[in-house]
Amino acid sequence: MKANAPEADVTVLGSGPVAGALALLLARVSPDPSRIRLCQHARPALPADQSHGQQALRTIALNHGSRSLLEPLDAWPTDGATIHTIHVSQRGRLGRTIIRHHDFEVPELGTVFPWQEVVAAQASPLAASGITLQGGSKATVVAEHDEYTQLVQDDLTWRSRIVVQADGRVDGPASNLREHPYSQVAVLATVAAAAPRAGWAWERFTREGPLALLPVHVHDSGHPSHSLHSVIWCCRPETADALCQASADEFAQQLNQAFGARLGWLTPIGARQQQALTLRWQASVLQGRRLAIGNAAQTLHPVAGQGLNLGLRDAAQLAQTLTPWLARPQGSPKALLQQFVERRRPDRRLTIAVTDFLPRIFATGLPPVEHACGLALLALDTSPSLRRPLARHLMLGLRS
Ligand SMILES: Cc1cc2nc3c(=O)[nH]c(=O)nc-3n(C[C@H](O)[C@H](O)[C@H](O)COP(=O)(O)OP(=O)(O)OC[C@H]3O[C@@H](n4cnc5c(N)ncnc54)[C@H](O)[C@@H]3O)c2cc1C
């Protein structure tokens, strides 16, 4: 098959925030940004791990590290809800930890946006970046050779020296895939709090899974903006079904009972959704000249809001690693691609481990384990030297 479009140095597949961030980063370091190709597909855009036919209720807490990455790209969304304090507790047990922004001398611990706004904020800088933007049906790889990969999108065929899959799905040969299902489903909702606390986010571990409340700005809700919170309630599948089918009053009763009175009465607003949860990752994210990053490399449990922050670190490291090669793309990039894999391994492993461990350990239902978890929260609260490394990782990740 003959290519009917010029060759690309890097083709990025994906319509989400990680693909967009990588394309913007590569555009900054490529001598010819038109040789960077971003293949998106038709809207409406949703995260790849969410069912179609739904409007995305997903909110994303972006940490300080992600802000430092997106702001210089002019891709930091406006009008987010700031988190300066995180309260972590366990239902039915003593012990809690409070993490504050001034522990780390940063203006905030994170900022919360609807997923769509993170994607929408990339549209103008992408249009102005000089990269080749392709839309249409999903682009696919049709042939892989030692020197290049051949791709097709609608009636366009082209060759690319490197292909980056940032399409949100952990895919590929079964021998390379790892999967740990959770007996938990996330119920997503929006609530208005009667006694809001500006800038506070809440993570409350229950026997069925973590229950998070994040401040969020929603326009035209009819409620004061500072009272609104996004709910991510991880629970058993049968509980999730019941919570989604319950009337607004019944849902409110259950939620207020599980969360407690810290924010006054919580009134649900609008739709509720379920989201299946499974930890999936690729043992090796590099196959020939094809790499996976973001959710395509690892799809995590949403506890502590790490998935996109980790994916953005993948994008930043990849752009940095490829910078010297982009100046002379005729040479083989394989050694650099391998270097990228090595550099990202510790951060991927640690973040997968932390986000897998937390929802499991708090949900054992075993009183001695619950007691130990309560003591651990107390110890973290009273000892900044214990608290800081964990909080720093959740805020910045491991960077090389
Ligand atoms: C309930 C919940 C809450 C979460 N909260 C947080 C949080 O607070 N903080 C955080 O950091 N992370 C959070 N996450 C994780 C976060 O949503 C993901 O890590 C993030 O969306 C991954 O971005 P991505 O660009 O890699 O993939 P996606 O967001 O899945 O985007 C990929 C996009 O590419 C499209 N696509 C698929 N195939 C192709 C193709 N061939 N060509 C072009 N496009 C294609 C998909 O349809 C999709 O729109 C949460 C996850 C869940 C489930």
Short mmCIF file of all heavy atoms in Angstrom, two decimals, residues 13-19 39-41 46-49 58-61 115 138-139 166-168 186 188 232 275 277 294-295 302 305-309, ligand 1:
data_model
loop_
_atom_site.label_atom_id
_atom_site.label_comp_id
_atom_site.label_asym_id
_atom_site.label_seq_id
_atom_site.Cartn_x
_atom_site.Cartn_y
_atom_site.Cartn_z
N LEU A 13 -2.41 8.64 18.85
CA LEU A 13 -3.80 8.20 18.70
C LEU A 13 -4.53 8.48 20.00
O LEU A 13 -4.14 7.97 21.05
CB LEU A 13 -3.86 6.70 18.41
CG LEU A 13 -3.08 6.19 17.21
CD1 LEU A 13 -3.23 4.66 17.10
CD2 LEU A 13 -3.55 6.86 15.94
N GLY A 14 -5.58 9.28 19.95
CA GLY A 14 -6.36 9.52 21.17
C GLY A 14 -7.04 10.87 21.13
O GLY A 14 -6.51 11.83 20.58
N SER A 15 -8.24 10.92 21.73
CA SER A 15 -9.01 12.17 21.75
C SER A 15 -9.07 12.74 23.16
O SER A 15 -9.82 13.68 23.40
CB SER A 15 -10.44 11.90 21.28
OG SER A 15 -10.45 11.03 20.19
N GLY A 16 -8.34 12.16 24.09
CA GLY A 16 -8.45 12.57 25.48
C GLY A 16 -7.33 13.52 25.91
O GLY A 16 -6.54 13.98 25.08
N PRO A 17 -7.26 13.79 27.21
CA PRO A 17 -6.32 14.79 27.71
C PRO A 17 -4.85 14.39 27.62
O PRO A 17 -3.99 15.26 27.47
CB PRO A 17 -6.73 14.96 29.18
CG PRO A 17 -7.53 13.75 29.53
CD PRO A 17 -8.16 13.27 28.27
N VAL A 18 -4.55 13.09 27.67
CA VAL A 18 -3.14 12.68 27.61
C VAL A 18 -2.61 12.83 26.18
O VAL A 18 -1.51 13.37 25.96
CB VAL A 18 -2.96 11.24 28.14
CG1 VAL A 18 -1.55 10.73 27.89
CG2 VAL A 18 -3.27 11.20 29.64
N ALA A 19 -3.42 12.41 25.19
CA ALA A 19 -3.01 12.56 23.79
C ALA A 19 -2.79 14.04 23.47
O ALA A 19 -1.78 14.41 22.86
CB ALA A 19 -4.09 11.97 22.88
N CYS A 39 -4.37 12.07 15.96
CA CYS A 39 -5.58 11.49 15.36
C CYS A 39 -6.66 11.38 16.42
O CYS A 39 -6.57 10.53 17.32
CB CYS A 39 -5.28 10.11 14.80
SG CYS A 39 -4.00 10.14 13.55
N GLN A 40 -7.64 12.23 16.30
CA GLN A 40 -8.78 12.17 17.22
C GLN A 40 -9.94 11.50 16.49
O GLN A 40 -9.86 11.25 15.30
CB GLN A 40 -9.16 13.59 17.66
CG GLN A 40 -8.00 14.26 18.38
CD GLN A 40 -8.31 15.69 18.75
OE1 GLN A 40 -8.81 16.45 17.94
NE2 GLN A 40 -7.97 16.06 19.98
N HIS A 41 -10.99 11.20 17.23
CA HIS A 41 -12.14 10.68 16.50
C HIS A 41 -13.38 11.42 16.93
O HIS A 41 -13.33 12.27 17.82
CB HIS A 41 -12.28 9.16 16.63
CG HIS A 41 -12.83 8.69 17.93
ND1 HIS A 41 -14.16 8.51 18.14
CD2 HIS A 41 -12.21 8.36 19.08
CE1 HIS A 41 -14.34 8.10 19.39
NE2 HIS A 41 -13.19 8.00 19.98
N LEU A 46 -15.76 11.18 25.43
CA LEU A 46 -15.93 10.58 26.76
C LEU A 46 -14.63 9.89 27.10
O LEU A 46 -13.92 9.45 26.20
CB LEU A 46 -17.02 9.51 26.72
CG LEU A 46 -18.47 9.93 26.69
CD1 LEU A 46 -19.35 8.70 26.49
CD2 LEU A 46 -18.85 10.63 27.98
N PRO A 47 -14.32 9.72 28.40
CA PRO A 47 -13.18 8.87 28.72
C PRO A 47 -13.43 7.47 28.15
O PRO A 47 -14.57 7.01 28.12
CB PRO A 47 -13.17 8.84 30.25
CG PRO A 47 -14.03 9.97 30.69
CD PRO A 47 -15.01 10.23 29.59
N ALA A 48 -12.37 6.81 27.67
CA ALA A 48 -12.56 5.52 26.99
C ALA A 48 -13.12 4.44 27.92
O ALA A 48 -13.75 3.50 27.46
CB ALA A 48 -11.23 5.05 26.40
N ASP A 49 -12.90 4.56 29.25
CA ASP A 49 -13.39 3.52 30.15
C ASP A 49 -14.82 3.80 30.63
O ASP A 49 -15.31 3.16 31.54
CB ASP A 49 -12.44 3.33 31.35
CG ASP A 49 -12.21 4.60 32.14
OD1 ASP A 49 -12.70 5.65 31.73
OD2 ASP A 49 -11.51 4.53 33.17
N ARG A 58 -17.85 12.66 35.05
CA ARG A 58 -16.55 12.50 35.72
C ARG A 58 -15.88 13.85 35.97
O ARG A 58 -15.77 14.67 35.08
CB ARG A 58 -15.63 11.63 34.88
CG ARG A 58 -14.34 11.33 35.65
CD ARG A 58 -13.47 10.38 34.93
NE ARG A 58 -14.17 9.18 34.51
CZ ARG A 58 -13.58 8.20 33.82
NH1 ARG A 58 -12.32 8.29 33.51
NH2 ARG A 58 -14.26 7.14 33.48
N THR A 59 -15.45 14.03 37.21
CA THR A 59 -14.65 15.21 37.51
C THR A 59 -13.23 14.74 37.79
O THR A 59 -13.01 13.63 38.26
CB THR A 59 -15.18 15.97 38.74
OG1 THR A 59 -15.35 15.03 39.79
CG2 THR A 59 -16.48 16.66 38.43
N ILE A 60 -12.28 15.61 37.50
CA ILE A 60 -10.87 15.26 37.61
C ILE A 60 -10.18 16.24 38.55
O ILE A 60 -10.27 17.46 38.35
CB ILE A 60 -10.20 15.37 36.21
CG1 ILE A 60 -10.80 14.37 35.24
CG2 ILE A 60 -8.70 15.22 36.31
CD1 ILE A 60 -10.38 12.94 35.43
N ALA A 61 -9.50 15.70 39.56
CA ALA A 61 -8.66 16.56 40.42
C ALA A 61 -7.26 16.53 39.83
O ALA A 61 -6.62 15.48 39.79
CB ALA A 61 -8.66 16.02 41.84
N TRP A 115 -14.10 16.45 33.34
CA TRP A 115 -13.17 15.86 32.37
C TRP A 115 -13.24 16.61 31.03
O TRP A 115 -12.22 16.91 30.41
CB TRP A 115 -13.52 14.38 32.18
CG TRP A 115 -12.67 13.60 31.24
CD1 TRP A 115 -11.54 12.89 31.53
CD2 TRP A 115 -12.89 13.42 29.82
NE1 TRP A 115 -11.05 12.29 30.39
CE2 TRP A 115 -11.86 12.59 29.33
CE3 TRP A 115 -13.85 13.89 28.93
CZ2 TRP A 115 -11.76 12.21 27.99
CZ3 TRP A 115 -13.76 13.51 27.59
CH2 TRP A 115 -12.73 12.69 27.14
N LYS A 138 -11.90 6.15 13.92
CA LYS A 138 -10.68 5.84 14.67
C LYS A 138 -9.55 5.42 13.73
O LYS A 138 -9.76 4.57 12.87
CB LYS A 138 -10.94 4.71 15.66
CG LYS A 138 -11.77 5.17 16.84
CD LYS A 138 -11.94 4.06 17.87
CE LYS A 138 -12.81 4.56 19.02
NZ LYS A 138 -13.06 3.55 20.03
N ALA A 139 -8.40 6.01 13.91
CA ALA A 139 -7.22 5.61 13.13
C ALA A 139 -6.77 4.24 13.62
O ALA A 139 -6.85 3.95 14.82
CB ALA A 139 -6.11 6.62 13.33
N ALA A 166 -2.61 6.68 22.97
CA ALA A 166 -3.11 7.39 24.15
C ALA A 166 -4.63 7.40 24.05
O ALA A 166 -5.28 8.41 24.27
CB ALA A 166 -2.54 8.80 24.20
N ASP A 167 -5.18 6.24 23.67
CA ASP A 167 -6.60 6.15 23.38
C ASP A 167 -7.42 5.62 24.55
O ASP A 167 -8.58 5.28 24.41
CB ASP A 167 -6.84 5.29 22.12
CG ASP A 167 -6.12 3.94 22.21
OD1 ASP A 167 -5.68 3.58 23.32
OD2 ASP A 167 -6.00 3.25 21.19
N GLY A 168 -6.79 5.51 25.70
CA GLY A 168 -7.54 5.23 26.93
C GLY A 168 -7.86 3.77 27.18
O GLY A 168 -8.46 3.44 28.20
N ALA A 186 -17.99 2.43 40.83
CA ALA A 186 -18.08 3.82 41.30
C ALA A 186 -19.45 4.39 40.92
O ALA A 186 -19.86 4.29 39.77
CB ALA A 186 -16.97 4.65 40.67
N LEU A 188 -21.31 7.85 40.51
CA LEU A 188 -20.95 9.26 40.33
C LEU A 188 -22.20 10.12 40.45
O LEU A 188 -23.24 9.80 39.88
CB LEU A 188 -20.32 9.48 38.95
CG LEU A 188 -19.17 8.54 38.55
CD1 LEU A 188 -18.63 8.90 37.18
CD2 LEU A 188 -18.06 8.58 39.59
N ILE A 232 -17.81 10.53 44.31
CA ILE A 232 -17.32 9.29 43.69
C ILE A 232 -17.40 8.25 44.80
O ILE A 232 -16.57 8.23 45.70
CB ILE A 232 -15.87 9.44 43.17
CG1 ILE A 232 -15.80 10.61 42.18
CG2 ILE A 232 -15.38 8.17 42.49
CD1 ILE A 232 -14.87 11.67 42.58
N GLN A 275 -19.86 3.39 37.20
CA GLN A 275 -18.64 3.20 36.42
C GLN A 275 -17.96 1.94 36.93
O GLN A 275 -17.58 1.86 38.12
CB GLN A 275 -17.76 4.43 36.66
CG GLN A 275 -16.33 4.29 36.25
CD GLN A 275 -16.12 4.62 34.79
OE1 GLN A 275 -16.49 5.69 34.35
NE2 GLN A 275 -15.54 3.70 34.07
N LEU A 277 -15.09 -0.73 37.71
CA LEU A 277 -13.69 -0.46 38.08
C LEU A 277 -12.85 -1.73 37.98
O LEU A 277 -13.20 -2.76 38.58
CB LEU A 277 -13.60 0.06 39.52
CG LEU A 277 -14.36 1.34 39.84
CD1 LEU A 277 -14.26 1.66 41.32
CD2 LEU A 277 -13.85 2.51 39.01
N GLY A 294 -0.65 6.94 29.37
CA GLY A 294 -1.94 7.31 29.97
C GLY A 294 -2.76 6.06 30.27
O GLY A 294 -2.22 4.98 30.55
N ASN A 295 -4.08 6.19 30.18
CA ASN A 295 -4.95 5.05 30.49
C ASN A 295 -4.75 3.87 29.55
O ASN A 295 -5.12 2.76 29.88
CB ASN A 295 -6.43 5.48 30.47
CG ASN A 295 -6.93 5.82 31.85
OD1 ASN A 295 -6.18 6.35 32.66
ND2 ASN A 295 -8.19 5.53 32.14
N PRO A 302 -10.02 4.82 40.97
CA PRO A 302 -10.01 6.29 41.09
C PRO A 302 -9.61 6.82 42.47
O PRO A 302 -9.51 8.05 42.64
CB PRO A 302 -11.46 6.68 40.78
CG PRO A 302 -12.27 5.46 41.05
CD PRO A 302 -11.38 4.28 40.78
N GLY A 305 -7.48 10.01 43.08
CA GLY A 305 -7.43 10.78 41.83
C GLY A 305 -6.06 10.83 41.18
O GLY A 305 -5.49 11.90 40.98
N GLN A 306 -5.54 9.66 40.79
CA GLN A 306 -4.17 9.62 40.28
C GLN A 306 -4.05 9.39 38.77
O GLN A 306 -3.02 9.69 38.18
CB GLN A 306 -3.39 8.52 41.00
CG GLN A 306 -3.12 8.87 42.45
CD GLN A 306 -2.29 10.14 42.57
OE1 GLN A 306 -1.16 10.20 42.11
NE2 GLN A 306 -2.86 11.17 43.16
N GLY A 307 -5.09 8.81 38.12
CA GLY A 307 -4.94 8.31 36.75
C GLY A 307 -4.46 9.33 35.75
O GLY A 307 -3.47 9.11 35.04
N LEU A 308 -5.14 10.47 35.68
CA LEU A 308 -4.74 11.45 34.66
C LEU A 308 -3.42 12.12 35.05
O LEU A 308 -2.58 12.39 34.18
CB LEU A 308 -5.85 12.49 34.47
CG LEU A 308 -5.53 13.56 33.44
CD1 LEU A 308 -5.08 12.97 32.11
CD2 LEU A 308 -6.73 14.47 33.22
N ASN A 309 -3.24 12.36 36.33
CA ASN A 309 -1.97 12.97 36.76
C ASN A 309 -0.79 12.08 36.35
O ASN A 309 0.24 12.58 35.87
CB ASN A 309 -1.98 13.18 38.28
CG ASN A 309 -3.00 14.25 38.69
OD1 ASN A 309 -2.90 15.39 38.27
ND2 ASN A 309 -3.99 13.86 39.48
C1 LIG B 1 -14.64 7.77 38.59
C2 LIG B 1 -13.28 8.22 38.15
C3 LIG B 1 -12.72 9.38 38.69
C4 LIG B 1 -11.45 9.79 38.31
N1 LIG B 1 -10.90 10.89 38.91
C5 LIG B 1 -9.64 11.25 38.60
C6 LIG B 1 -9.02 12.36 39.25
O1 LIG B 1 -9.61 13.01 40.12
N2 LIG B 1 -7.75 12.68 38.90
C7 LIG B 1 -7.06 11.98 37.96
O2 LIG B 1 -5.88 12.30 37.69
N3 LIG B 1 -7.62 10.92 37.31
C8 LIG B 1 -8.89 10.56 37.62
N4 LIG B 1 -9.46 9.50 36.97
C9 LIG B 1 -8.72 8.84 35.88
C10 LIG B 1 -8.83 9.66 34.57
O3 LIG B 1 -10.18 9.84 34.19
C11 LIG B 1 -8.06 8.97 33.46
O4 LIG B 1 -6.80 8.59 33.92
C12 LIG B 1 -7.90 9.89 32.26
O5 LIG B 1 -9.15 10.25 31.72
C13 LIG B 1 -7.02 9.21 31.21
O6 LIG B 1 -6.79 10.07 30.14
P1 LIG B 1 -6.41 9.46 28.72
O7 LIG B 1 -6.31 10.63 27.78
O8 LIG B 1 -5.25 8.54 28.87
O9 LIG B 1 -7.63 8.53 28.30
P2 LIG B 1 -9.17 8.88 28.16
O10 LIG B 1 -9.56 9.96 29.10
O11 LIG B 1 -9.90 7.59 28.22
O12 LIG B 1 -9.26 9.49 26.69
C14 LIG B 1 -8.98 8.71 25.55
C15 LIG B 1 -9.92 9.19 24.43
O13 LIG B 1 -9.47 8.64 23.17
C16 LIG B 1 -10.60 8.13 22.45
N5 LIG B 1 -10.14 7.07 21.54
C17 LIG B 1 -10.23 5.71 21.67
N6 LIG B 1 -9.69 5.09 20.60
C18 LIG B 1 -9.23 6.06 19.78
C19 LIG B 1 -8.56 6.07 18.51
N7 LIG B 1 -8.20 4.95 17.89
N8 LIG B 1 -8.25 7.25 17.96
C20 LIG B 1 -8.55 8.40 18.57
N9 LIG B 1 -9.17 8.46 19.78
C21 LIG B 1 -9.51 7.31 20.37
C22 LIG B 1 -11.54 7.64 23.55
O14 LIG B 1 -12.87 7.55 23.08
C23 LIG B 1 -11.36 8.74 24.60
O15 LIG B 1 -12.22 9.84 24.34
C24 LIG B 1 -10.73 9.05 37.35
C25 LIG B 1 -11.28 7.88 36.81
C26 LIG B 1 -12.53 7.46 37.21
C27 LIG B 1 -13.08 6.19 36.66
#
